[in-house]
Amino acid sequence: MKTIAKQGLKFNEPLIFERSVVGKKGYSFKECLSNGSDPEDIFDDLFIRDEIKDFPEVSEVEVIRHFTRLSQLNYGLDSGFYPLGSCTMKYNPKVNEDIARFKGFNKIHPYFPEEFTQGALEVIFGLQEQLKKITGFEAVTLQPSAGAHAEFTGLKIIKAYHESNHDEKRKYIIIPDSAHGTNPASTTLAGFEVKNVKSGPDGYIEAETIAEIMDETIAGIMITNPNTLGVFEQDLDKIIKIVHSKGGLVYGDGANMNALMGKLKPAEIGFDVMHLNLHKTFSTPHGGGGPGAGPILVTQELKRFLPLPLVAKTEEGSFHIVKNAIGSIGRMKSFMGNFTVLVRAYSYILEMGERGLTQATEDAVLSANYIRESLKGHYHLPYEAESLHEVVFSDKNFKDLGVHTIDLAKRLIDYGLHPSTVYFPLIVSGAIMIEPTESESKEDIDYFIDVMKTIANEMKETPELLHNAPGISYRKRLDEVKAAKHPKLRWYKLDEETDE
Ligand SMILES: Cc1ncc(COP(=O)(O)O)c(C=O)c1O
């Protein structure tokens, strides 16, 4: 554990908010300093707002330090390892940020005439083409602003397809227990009912299970592949054939495409609709349900139902916005979606190239399997099936010691790490879901493995360290339900008695 000491544990400094001292000044205007006048005298009345009173009186350096310290309390992707399984917290290259800030991209307005925005339209068109190439689908919309929004859009397309066939009896969508949690919610919102199926003992959906329930009332199936165990669905081929043979459509939750890029084109194995999470696979910032982007890709047969507008290329080579078409489910987002998110994804894809994207997949899978192999003697692996980009352990080895998965998660903070995803997927007791991604170095992954092994020993020898964790963070363990339901988003003075 020699590496632990080198991590910056910087939270132990007390955070004092009351720094104001009457009479301190936080400005230094040369003019005022030289003739002793009050700065208020040199400002126009227009800029002096009487309604803003009781400002803290602090010096410039105190303000700078206060806000810098606050910013350091925030743990982000740029601070360190972030193994949040299912979320794919990989590094977002800074060059993409620079490109998204080019004036030609961020100063244009969606109402500008097309002849002034050809460059932006070319980016949108280029991204559409790249995503089609990567996945093998015929058409795409970039409108949806998150994965869940994309699921809703894709399901509306499935609905429109069945309605166009006057096939209104199809009211169910099959969702396996290893699907992502947003799938059932999107299904209900789109006006379908959920038919749950259990995955088999090896973590796969079994073709026989689908064959048993598939009939003419089923509109389709939603398959997260690789599923939330990080496992490739082995019976995929058979399942797709069964669903198609009864007139259903197959929706692919392709948010985990970061495990498949360059290895498999989902359209080629029979998916009809699929979404991507640009913020997972194509390194755009995560936005807590938006502003992100979750493109939907479809087969030729479903193309006419896509939301509008879309960007098309004319025979002369210019780009234009297609606003009307028969069959479209309509608009899902204002204008063209989150344009500068699309710019970042396009720039990532072009920088990486085909080989680079394949390498990203290979490295993500390698990193997850390295962690799996290194930790499997220390933590219980509930499924033997091969892992792709993430690995899920259970609490079986430690729950009898009176230690819970949440204690492990909080203890990781004490070692300067972001916790992994916990208690998800629901099919694993006390799940610990680790997704290292391709952007972590071997040294950082080794540090994480060392820490996990150390914590496994602490569980047996010093469990109180886990029960009391985190010990070094500014806020100690929170009541997570209360924090989510009644968030206090502004600073307030803690009651010394209750610490509330
Ligand atoms: C497999 C999968 N599907 C869907 C989603 C939902 O995406 P979003 O959070 O963008 O709504 C996620 C998010 O991580 C996911 O991992």
Side-chain angles (χ1 to χ4, degrees):
M1 277 304 303
K2 57 183 181 312
T3 40
I4 284 186
K6 84 176 179 166
Q7 299 287 313
L9 306 180
K10 57 191 172 224
F11 304 115
N12 44 3
E13 216 178 307
L15 192 65
I16 300 165
F17 271 75
E18 298 293 356
R19 292 180 183 271
S20 181
V21 174
V22 178
K24 272 200 190 175
K25 300 279 183 219
Y27 54 78
S28 55
F29 294 105
K30 216 168 146 199
E31 214 176 310
C32 312
L33 290 174
S34 54
N35 63 17
S37 62
D38 192 320
E40 282 186 15
D41 298 340
I42 63 167
F43 286 121
D44 193 299
D45 281 351
L46 192 67
F47 300 115
I48 303 198
R49 287 182 288 163
D50 282 335
E51 71 275 17
I52 304 180
K53 293 202 183 77
D54 300 329
F55 248 43
E57 296 182 66
V58 277
S59 70
E60 181 176 318
V61 66
E62 284 169 318
V63 174
I64 295 291
R65 286 187 183 156
H66 177 71
F67 284 106
T68 304
R69 211 175 286 125
L70 275 185
S71 76
Q72 288 168 339
L73 289 177
N74 196 14
Y75 191 98
L77 262 174
D78 293 345
S79 331
F81 192 50
Y82 211 125
L84 208 54
S86 182
C87 294
T88 320
M89 305 301 285
K90 68 188 193 184
Y91 178 68
N92 302 324
K94 296 295 169 263
V95 64
N96 301 341
E97 297 301 314
D98 293 343
I99 294 170
R101 285 172 177 75
F102 284 177
K103 276 198 194 128
F105 292 143
N106 77 7
K107 291 275 186 273
I108 52 173
H109 192 279
Y111 282 140
F112 275 9
E114 281 174 15
E115 49 278 30
F116 295 157
T117 56
Q118 283 295 301
L121 296 182
E122 184 171 353
V123 166
I124 296 176
F125 182 81
L127 180 61
Q128 292 175 178
E129 294 304 297
Q130 288 289 344
L131 297 181
K132 280 157 57 181
K133 198 167 133 201
I134 291 168
T135 58
F137 283 95
E138 293 290 334
V140 56
T141 171
L142 306 177
Q143 272 185 36
S145 57
H149 190 199
E151 291 164 25
F152 176 64
T153 307
L155 287 158
K156 298 271 285 182
I157 290 174
I158 292 181
K159 202 164 202 22
Y161 166 81
H162 289 308
E163 280 170 6
S164 75
N165 292 333
H166 309 290
D167 200 355
E168 269 99 22
K169 62 187 173 308
R170 296 190 184 264
K171 56 178 184 163
Y172 297 106
I173 295 283
I174 301 175
I175 303 189
D177 55 6
S178 56
H180 191 73
T182 45
N183 290 189
S186 308
T187 299
T188 309
L189 267 181
F192 290 109
E193 286 175 43
V194 174
K195 220 166 225 183
N196 277 311
V197 290
K198 280 200 181 321
S199 36
D202 295 327
Y204 307 114
I205 322 165
E206 293 174 340
E208 303 80 66
T209 316
I210 303 303
E212 269 166 34
I213 59 163
M214 189 61 212
D215 62 23
E216 266 87 37
T217 64
I218 308 276
I221 183 169
M222 283 183 101
I223 305 181
T224 304
N225 186 54
N227 64 27
T228 48
L229 295 166
V231 167
F232 192 92
E233 289 293 345
Q234 261 196 354
D235 279 0
L236 204 49
D237 209 27
K238 288 188 207 151
I239 293 170
I240 291 174
K241 286 199 180 100
I242 293 166
V243 174
H244 282 164
S245 71
K246 299 273 175 162
L249 294 179
V250 182
Y251 183 101
D253 180 329
N256 295 333
M257 190 69 196
N258 55 316
L260 301 177
M261 282 184 298
K263 302 287 173 187
L264 176 98
K265 297 194 179 196
E268 289 176 0
I269 55 169
F271 281 99
D272 300 291
V273 192
M274 192 184 91
H275 84 260
L276 295 170
N277 278 17
L278 295 190
H279 47 291
K280 278 174 52 110
T281 305
F282 299 103
S283 90
T284 65
H286 284 240
I296 279 284
L297 295 120
V298 295
T299 55
Q300 186 62 32
E301 203 178 4
L302 298 179
K303 186 174 169 181
R304 66 198 163 108
F305 302 113
L306 279 177
L308 293 173
L310 294 169
V311 174
K313 192 172 180 180
T314 62
E315 277 180 13
E316 298 75 50
S318 64
F319 300 93
H320 74 105
I321 300 174
V322 180
K323 294 191 181 119
N324 299 306
I326 296 166
S328 165
I329 60 164
R331 182 186 276 286
M332 297 305 289
K333 177 92 180 83
S334 53
F335 303 111
M336 305 302 300
N338 284 318
F339 174 63
T340 59
V341 170
L342 307 180
V343 173
R344 288 171 172 92
Y346 189 46
S347 105
Y348 176 75
I349 291 171
L350 296 186
E351 284 151 26
M352 298 290 278
E354 215 173 312
R355 181 65 215 133
L357 293 177
T358 309
Q359 183 79 50
T361 287
E362 288 168 357
D363 291 351
V365 172
L366 180 65
S367 302
N369 279 284
Y370 181 52
I371 291 179
R372 174 186 161 128
E373 286 310 302
S374 308
L375 291 182
K376 83 176 179 198
H378 303 263
Y379 291 88
H380 173 248
L381 202 55
Y383 292 97
E384 278 301 319
E386 276 174 40
S387 297
L388 288 181
H389 63 302
E390 57 197 354
V391 54
V392 183
F393 294 100
S394 87
D395 61 4
K396 191 171 171 194
N397 286 1
F398 57 81
K399 68 174 175 211
D400 291 343
L401 301 170
V403 175
H404 302 283
T405 296
I406 190 76
D407 303 323
L408 160 66
K410 300 296 178 192
R411 186 68 180 141
L412 283 168
I413 298 173
D414 285 342
Y415 287 102
L417 292 164
H418 195 283
S420 67
T421 292
V422 289
Y423 300 109
F424 183 78
L426 303 176
I427 48 175
V428 173
S429 159
I432 304 150
M433 187 189 205
I434 302 164
E435 181 174 9
T437 82
E438 72 279 11
S439 31
E440 297 308 321
S441 66
K442 174 152 183 312
E443 291 72 26
D444 281 343
I445 294 181
D446 280 338
Y447 173 69
F448 173 75
I449 292 169
D450 276 357
V451 169
M452 287 290 284
K453 287 181 184 168
T454 304
I455 297 177
N457 281 335
E458 289 175 352
M459 287 170 174
K460 292 175 221 137
E461 287 160 19
T462 45
E464 66 285 359
L465 286 178
L466 281 100
H467 295 142
N468 297 329
I472 62 150
S473 59
Y474 170 60
R475 292 308 312 262
K476 300 295 173 252
R477 198 177 295 204
L478 298 176
D479 175 337
E480 297 194 356
V481 175
K482 211 164 150 195
K485 293 205 162 169
H486 306 286
K488 291 186 175 146
L489 302 175
R490 294 181 56 185
W491 179 80
Y492 64 97
K493 208 168 181 178
L494 282 182
D495 183 312
E496 279 169 21
E497 296 275 298
T498 60
D499 202 31
E500 293 259 341

